[in-house]
Amino acid sequence: MKIVHVASELFPYMKTGGLADAVSSLAGALADNGHEVAVFLPGYRTALEHKDAAGAERRMRLRIEMGDQYLSGEVRVFAPRRNLTVYLICREEFFDRRNPYGNGERDYEDNADRFIFFCKGVVETLRLADLQADVVHAHDWQAALVPLLVRDAERKQGVTLAVKTVFTIHNIAYQGLFPRGIFAHTNLPEDFNSIDGLEYYEQTNLLKGGILFADRVTTVSPRYAQEIQTPEFGNGLEGVVQTREHDIVGLLNGVDMAVWNPGTDALLPARYTLANLAGKQACRAELLKRAGFAANFRGPIFGVVCRFVEQKGVDLILANRDFFLREDCRLIVLGSGEKRYEDDVRAMAAAAPAKVALSAKLDEAMSHLIEAGSDFFVMPSLFEPCGLNQMYSQVYGTLPIVSRVGGLIDTVTDVDEFPETGTGLMCAPTAAGLGEVLPRALRLFADKPRYAAAQRRGMIRDFSWKIAAAGYERLYQESL
Ligand code: ADP
């Protein structure tokens, strides 16, 4: 099949979270299976500076209609591996920036225009390059206009650009909600500017377009596919999702074992496998050292890696400050995002510098070291479409402590509840819930055989993308 992916993040060219990993692994797995895969990404500064893009070909110039004006752009193309081509939709004014969505404090003012331009650039390239896609698969709100724009361009120009369109919701909390006026910049027929289209309470909601108009809709875990049809997790779009109730499927993300594998991980100071965990001890010592603690500490290490946003439950960790300050343990946090979380975690670390450490930045190597060197990975999300870190933890022999929401339910089993099959610990997504589970972690840590058995079960689980990729292949095939 010829499969085109469209996303605002793609590891290793731009990443703020799981979207980048998921699109990269899925595209790679499909390419490995012999499909011809193209991925479209905005031409961010980091992507253009990446070594893979050094010889990128300037394939074509774009002239994109945006409302009543035309904006120019350019497409650069490179092929990082067999069967995989990356198309960068470039326009310096929009994408030559350090971050993809905002400056840390708030979102860029021109995000609507940036991503409308991106989507239009993709569709125009499909036409100019005559890519003849079987499937065009768009991800999240930044790419959500693509299914509509494909059909609109086909109608206007009498061509076929894609046999089928697929849209994946990686996180329904981010919807691309903008003032109504930006609808004009899409140049879509006025019919779409209604409650049956992009209109959402007097605003324009880009995600809604993807959900309503793609041929198939997916999300990243079976549990989340159910949850987003309810008011509690639907973020106001539950009614819209319900209209697709019969053709929305939840396909669990996987782990890219080329990147996240303790046996081969070049970002770690030492590698290890289930058969020989000595390297995990070396990672532990290095992690303690990097965090500024004595390397010979023997008690439990709790690791956290996340975007600093409300979703990730940082407030729940802060609310359990006394536990971490009282017990003989270490808490090592890597996070970046909202300043208030950075400030609060920093204050907690300042109150107990011998026990709590914060690294407030994006740091790929440190994220691997925390997964490898910790005993528990703490992820008390308030909601979680799929979540990757709790899967990485299991692969790395680190027991996840997660809340009972979304993809976390689909990927972790509580060891106290299911002693024969458990791979981690689970709690309610509240401060009290986390407060209840943390002492259970101490007891589990003290019981070495029980800890080792849960660790072993996690490490032998198959989280590989083979399973997920096969699910998408089936979906594409069925839709065709
Ligand atoms: P989300 O996509 O909601 O951020 P996931 O668990 O699905 O959550 O994926 C998060 C990904 O982002 C993981 O690969 C994780 O290691 C990475 N990540 C998050 N924060 C950081 C950080 N500060 N530094 C490096 N990697 C990070």
Side-chain angles (χ1 to χ4, degrees), residues 169 212 259 267 331 343-344 363 366:
I169 305 166
L212 285 178
V259 181
L267 294 175
L331 175 66
D343 292 344
D344 289 354
D363 185 339
M366 184 68 173

Side-chain angles (χ1 to χ4, degrees), residues 15 17-18 21 306-307 312 334 361-363 387-389 392:
K15 167 169 168 173
D21 287 359
C306 67
R307 291 181 296 118
K312 298 297 175 182
L334 170 66
K361 58 183 170 180
L362 273 169
D363 185 339
L388 293 171
N389 277 306
Y392 300 157

Side-chain angles (χ1 to χ4, degrees), residues 83-307:
N83 293 338
L84 181 68
T85 312
V86 176
Y87 289 77
L88 299 176
I89 301 294
C90 302
R91 179 176 166 85
E92 278 178 25
E93 179 205 355
F94 287 155
F95 302 121
D96 185 22
R97 303 182 190 180
R98 197 155 300 283
N99 301 307
Y101 314 127
N103 59 14
E105 297 286 297
R106 48 200 180 96
D107 289 347
Y108 298 130
E109 304 259 333
D110 56 355
N111 273 351
D113 278 346
R114 295 171 74 227
F115 290 103
I116 292 172
F117 178 86
F118 171 59
C119 292
K120 290 190 154 206
V122 171
V123 176
E124 181 66 353
T125 307
L126 292 177
R127 187 179 75 84
L128 291 173
D130 194 20
L131 289 188
Q132 302 191 12
D134 291 304
V135 175
V136 171
H137 186 161
H139 302 264
D140 276 352
W141 74 261
Q142 296 88 348
L145 278 180
V146 167
L148 291 77
L149 291 171
V150 162
R151 296 300 175 228
D152 187 54
E154 288 179 337
R155 201 175 41 76
K156 280 183 186 147
Q157 290 158 3
V159 291
T160 301
L161 300 178
V163 183
K164 291 291 172 189
T165 60
V166 176
F167 181 64
T168 295
I169 305 166
H170 293 259
N171 194 335
I172 206 165
Y174 301 95
Q175 302 185 350
L177 198 57
F178 297 105
R180 189 98 185 253
I182 69 105
F183 179 83
H185 300 188
T186 69
N187 301 89
L188 285 165
E190 197 53 33
D191 309 354
F192 289 100
N193 192 11
S194 70
I195 186 151
D196 299 320
L198 302 182
E199 203 244 284
Y200 182 82
Y201 296 101
E202 298 296 317
Q203 290 185 289
T204 296
N205 186 319
L206 300 183
L207 190 81
K208 188 182 170 199
I211 299 172
L212 285 178
F213 297 107
D215 293 310
R216 292 296 179 99
V217 179
T218 81
T219 186
V220 288
S221 71
R223 181 73 184 207
Y224 195 59
Q226 297 304 315
E227 285 178 348
I228 57 176
Q229 299 183 40
T230 68
E232 194 184 350
F233 294 101
N235 284 75
L237 285 185
E238 57 274 8
V240 176
V241 179
Q242 281 163 18
T243 66
R244 306 294 316 253
E245 122 190 73
H246 297 296
D247 42 15
I248 179 163
V249 295
L251 296 169
L252 210 51
N253 285 335
V255 172
D256 189 337
M257 296 299 288
V259 181
W260 292 95
N261 179 349
T264 55
D265 193 332
L267 294 175
L268 297 181
R271 275 142 293 282
Y272 58 93
T273 59
L274 181 58
N276 183 355
L277 287 168
K280 188 165 168 63
Q281 288 305 314
C283 293
R284 176 192 171 89
E286 176 67 18
L287 174 62
L288 287 165
K289 215 171 88 195
R290 284 275 296 275
F293 304 138
N296 62 358
F297 174 68
R298 290 279 159 259
I301 302 175
F302 295 88
V304 178
V305 179
C306 67
R307 291 181 296 118

